Amino acid sequence: MKAWVYTEYGPSGSVLKLETDYSVPEISDEQVLLKVEAAALNPVDYKRMLGYFKGIDSALPHVPGYDVAGVVVKVGSKVKKLKEGDEVYGNINVTPLHNCKRYGSLAEFTAVEEDLVAIKPKNLSFAEAASLPLALSTAYQGFELGEFTPGKSVLILGGAGGVGTLAIQLAKHVFGASKIATTCSAAKAELVKSLGADVVIDYTKEQFEELPEKYDLVFDCVGQCDKAVKAIKEDGKAVTISGQVTAPGVIFLVASKASDLDTLSPYLESGKVKALLDPKSPFPFSQTVEAFAHLETERAIGKVVVYPIA
């Protein structure tokens, strides 16, 4: 199969190479083999490639990629719910850092446990579906960790990013927020408003932590926990997915599971929660290195997707 592979740690532009005759992964009894139709990139992909987690990573070489959408072409003997021909999507790694799979989603085929992928909503394209799993579960689990309930207010730091765009939508349509504020640049203000933000704070002009209004939850998607804790109410919570933690804020790593996707499927099927692809997406498979370069600028809006995989 064709696969993007790195055999040493380093910058994507230097170490990531296209192999045209790479071995197709074997599946265990609990796994399915997917014909990959689309894959999405996440910051953890290039951080892993740089060797940030090599002390707890699987052995090289690696095919990168967490998010996947594809078609089941083979099932293990203990697989119960999925069958050949099913169109599915998910995050193939249970946790984002520890002992991740050597065969990721940036290849023509990948192997994944049955309980990590869900049936793709019929109204979503493969590219749209691939953009969702890791970011959608991160947003959903962040609200759960923050014990967010209807009628509470939330400030989302980095509302135009992959997690932020979904967090805004979940706050509005799933968790019933009374007020949704977010930080972004002025150029992205209309976008986040269209997703459901009530208040937009231009981080280039205002320091959100110095403003008088405080929130029940601050969801930090950009690594500013030290500032996030200054913007919560007295009994509020701050949840971060990146960077250093400042008490009473808490950090968490998403745990991949199909049940999150199943829970949110009605909102995706109804169109209340939408996938948001970066305007430059999708990148063709041959331009995966360029896709990584765009992601690494940290200026992407929504998700960077590679499609078709061929």
Side-chain angles (χ1 to χ4, degrees), residues 130-154:
S131 76
L132 291 169
L134 191 150
L136 188 62
S137 281
T138 300
Y140 183 68
Q141 292 177 26
F143 281 110
E144 286 193 315
L145 182 62
E147 298 178 316
F148 198 81
T149 53
K152 289 186 175 181
S153 60
V154 61

Side-chain angles (χ1 to χ4, degrees), residues 24-34 73-77 79 110-112:
V24 175
E26 297 289 331
I27 61 170
S28 69
D29 292 342
E30 295 82 14
Q31 290 182 320
V32 297
L33 184 68
L34 298 185
V73 294
K74 187 178 180 180
V75 298
S77 61
V79 170
T110 195
V112 60

Side-chain angles (χ1 to χ4, degrees), residues 70-262:
V71 180
V72 176
V73 294
K74 187 178 180 180
V75 298
S77 61
K78 294 182 180 179
V79 170
K80 298 176 181 178
K81 298 179 182 178
L82 298 177
K83 63 184 185 302
E84 291 182 16
D86 282 344
E87 297 182 352
V88 299
Y89 71 127
N91 168 8
I92 68 168
N93 290 299
V94 178
T95 62
L97 308 182
H98 292 80
N99 200 34
C100 290
K101 289 183 174 69
R102 297 175 69 186
Y103 282 88
S105 58
L106 286 165
E108 290 185 284
F109 296 92
T110 195
V112 60
E113 288 76 13
E114 178 184 30
D115 61 0
L116 297 184
V117 292
I119 296 295
K120 179 181 73 68
K122 288 182 171 59
N123 60 315
L124 297 184
S125 67
F126 281 112
E128 289 170 329
S131 76
L132 291 169
L134 191 150
L136 188 62
S137 281
T138 300
Y140 183 68
Q141 292 177 26
F143 281 110
E144 286 193 315
L145 182 62
E147 298 178 316
F148 198 81
T149 53
K152 289 186 175 181
S153 60
V154 61
L155 168 61
I156 298 163
L157 307 185
V163 176
T165 52
L166 291 166
I168 292 171
Q169 296 180 76
L170 295 191
K172 183 177 182 64
H173 298 293
V174 179
F175 288 94
S178 60
K179 176 176 283 189
I180 304 167
T182 190
T183 61
C184 68
S185 64
K188 301 171 183 177
E190 289 307 312
L191 168 68
V192 296
K193 286 180 182 177
S194 72
L195 296 174
D198 302 302
V199 177
V200 181
I201 302 168
D202 183 349
Y203 69 86
T204 67
K205 297 180 180 179
E206 294 184 287
Q207 301 297 314
F208 68 86
E209 74 276 13
E210 296 177 0
L211 298 176
E213 186 160 11
K214 307 302 177 186
Y215 298 86
D216 294 300
L217 174 66
V218 178
F219 195 153
D220 171 26
C221 304
V222 295
Q224 294 184 331
C225 190
D226 57 331
K227 297 180 179 180
V229 295
K230 298 177 182 178
I232 58 176
K233 294 179 179 179
E234 186 174 342
D235 58 349
K237 297 181 181 295
V239 172
T240 186
I241 63 173
S242 177
Q244 299 297 313
V245 185
T246 302
V250 294
I251 191 169
F252 80 102
L253 295 175
V254 64
S256 174
K257 49 187 177 181
S259 59
D260 287 347
L261 304 179
D262 289 334

Side-chain angles (χ1 to χ4, degrees), residues 267-279:
Y267 299 94
L268 297 168
E269 291 174 346
S270 69
K272 289 183 177 179
V273 176
K274 297 179 174 65
L276 181 67
L277 273 60
D278 179 84

